[in-house]
Amino acid sequence: MTNEQARLQFIERMGQQAANDGLTRSAGQIWAALLLSDEMMSSAELAELLQITKGSISTNVRTLETLHIVERRFKPGDRQDYYAIQENPYTALVEGQIRRFDNANKIVAEALDGVRGGSAQVKLTELARFYQLYQQSAVGLLAAMKADPEPGSS
Amino acid sequence: MTNEQARLQFIERMGQQAANDGLTRSAGQIWAALLLSDEMMSSAELAELLQITKGSISTNVRTLETLHIVERRFKPGDRQDYYAIQENPYTALVEGQIRRFDNANKIVAEALDGVRGGSAQVKLTELARFYQLYQQSAVGLLAAMKADPEPGSS
DNA sequence: TTCAACGTTTAATATGTGCTGAACAATCGC
DNA sequence: GCGATTGTTCAGCACATATTAAACGTTGAA
């Protein structure tokens, strides 16, 4: 398999994977393209490479920005916006997951407050325990990632 | 808030949460209803409580079965199928997540094999490292859950 | 055998969502 | 100011998916 084929395949697979994780296929493809690129890329370049309209690039890049995966950069004297992968993109993802566990914990805690009944209490407590363990695990992961920042060569 | 209101609210919220996690709203509602119920429930009971047709109950219960969250039970001399939450429903969820990380790792590993180019190698290695750390975290969580099986009272 | 009850499957419908293409706003060079 | 370039927004369309309603197969009782 040529270098080019490997790149296109990776872009396609990241698109599929993103679509399974709540993002859009285009967002995953943009992510992959920026991972593979040595330089930051303009939206025109992304649109040409991925065969996506600039409108879709705009919206998808915005969601990747809010997820702190992609950041917008500028070249002096150049009106175009450029995009690149952020410095530590994955800590933000784990932090987002932790926030979601917070929400889940709230739901279960409120249910435990208001619901009476024998085995329901038991099973809700099990569910709450699961969410708490999962959250602790995510917090530990985040700490490990921050302790070992994988200092990006450059 | 009455006991009944708290139950309905929990069912509704679990439905929303499930819809955000790749399941359907109905699947989340069935899950919640079985969590709250002291006894196992028939599909007729579920359909009546959740206002869902028996067809939808059938398909959604099947997906919950394949996820090892719900199991099908029978009463002697009763032709109806009954459903209940499985014994340790959450270990199976973590195991599923671990399998998904396996897949992600494969994608990145193959990309690392085939892609040449300066910073791409670095960033792909970072991504691989992230997936590996995340997977280790999930494996640790699974071990913790199995070590502390939260022996369901009864 | 016949009928009733139950679970499954499937076609049709409804609903949500992503993408496109065009209109719009903003900015820079001339 | 004017035209060109760029990013954003939005209506319309296309597609995927969940739900329903009905048909079907199966099973058990009379």
Side-chain angles (χ1 to χ4, degrees):
Chain A
M1 175 177 309
T2 72
N3 190 12
E4 194 59 20
Q5 283 173 334
R7 287 169 179 269
L8 295 178
Q9 187 185 68
F10 178 66
I11 288 174
E12 191 53 44
R13 288 184 176 172
M14 286 284 286
Q16 289 178 14
Q17 177 122 343
N20 292 338
D21 284 345
L23 293 177
T24 67
R25 190 174 83 116
S26 299
Q29 290 179 331
I30 294 170
W31 186 354
L34 294 178
L35 273 174
L36 293 179
S37 172
D38 284 357
E39 313 288 342
M40 50 191 182
M41 297 179 71
S42 69
S43 59
E45 289 172 312
L46 287 170
E48 205 283 335
L49 171 64
L50 304 177
Q51 296 294 337
I52 298 174
T53 60
K54 61 176 184 173
S56 184
I57 297 280
S58 177
T59 63
N60 281 294
V61 151
R62 164 149 308 181
T63 73
L64 289 173
E65 277 183 301
T66 64
L67 290 175
H68 301 94
I69 294 173
V70 163
E71 69 181 3
R72 193 175 304 238
R73 293 179 183 169
F74 303 95
K75 288 186 181 177
D78 189 335
R79 282 176 53 197
Q80 282 186 90
D81 294 10
Y82 289 86
Y83 305 99
I85 300 291
Q86 278 213 359
E87 227 10 78
N88 287 327
Y90 308 121
T91 56
L93 287 183
V94 178
E95 285 165 355
Q97 178 116 356
I98 290 174
R99 273 192 296 275
R100 280 199 264 158
F101 281 127
D102 273 335
N103 187 41
N105 272 318
K106 269 185 208 156
I107 293 178
V108 181
E110 239 175 275
L112 266 172
D113 256 13
V115 169
R116 267 154 293 280
S119 68
Q121 296 267 354
V122 175
K123 286 181 285 184
L124 286 176
T125 304
E126 281 178 21
L127 180 60
R129 170 126 196 142
F130 167 65
Y131 280 137
Q132 285 159 14
L133 282 177
Y134 215 142
Q135 174 141 6
Q136 284 175 23
S137 169
V139 169
L141 169 63
L142 185 63
M145 290 170 63
K146 285 186 172 169
D148 174 23
E150 186 90 21
S153 71
S154 81
Chain B
M1 176 176 307
T2 72
N3 190 12
E4 195 59 21
Q5 283 173 334
R7 287 169 178 268
L8 294 178
Q9 187 185 67
F10 178 66
I11 288 174
E12 192 53 45
R13 288 184 177 173
M14 286 283 287
Q16 290 178 14
Q17 177 122 342
N20 292 339
D21 284 346
L23 294 177
T24 67
R25 192 174 83 115
S26 300
Q29 290 179 334
I30 293 171
W31 185 355
L34 294 177
L35 274 175
L36 293 179
S37 172
D38 284 357
E39 313 288 342
M40 50 192 181
M41 297 180 73
S42 68
S43 60
E45 289 172 313
L46 287 170
E48 205 283 335
L49 171 63
L50 305 175
Q51 296 293 338
I52 300 175
T53 61
K54 60 177 183 173
S56 183
I57 298 280
S58 176
T59 64
N60 281 293
V61 151
R62 164 150 308 182
T63 72
L64 289 173
E65 278 184 299
T66 66
L67 291 176
H68 299 95
I69 294 174
V70 162
E71 69 181 2
R72 193 176 304 237
R73 293 179 184 170
F74 303 95
K75 288 186 182 176
D78 190 335
R79 283 176 52 198
Q80 282 186 90
D81 295 9
Y82 288 87
Y83 305 99
I85 300 291
Q86 277 212 1
E87 225 12 76
N88 287 327
Y90 308 120
T91 57
L93 287 182
V94 178
E95 284 164 355
Q97 177 117 357
I98 290 174
R99 274 192 295 275
R100 280 198 263 157
F101 281 126
D102 273 334
N103 186 43
N105 272 319
K106 270 185 208 156
I107 293 177
V108 181
E110 237 175 277
L112 267 172
D113 256 14
V115 170
R116 266 155 292 281
S119 69
Q121 295 267 355
V122 175
K123 285 182 283 185
L124 286 176
T125 303
E126 282 179 21
L127 180 59
R129 169 127 197 138
F130 167 64
Y131 280 137
Q132 285 159 15
L133 281 178
Y134 215 142
Q135 174 141 4
Q136 285 175 22
S137 170
V139 170
L141 169 63
L142 185 62
M145 289 170 64
K146 284 186 174 171
D148 174 22
E150 186 89 22
S153 71
S154 79

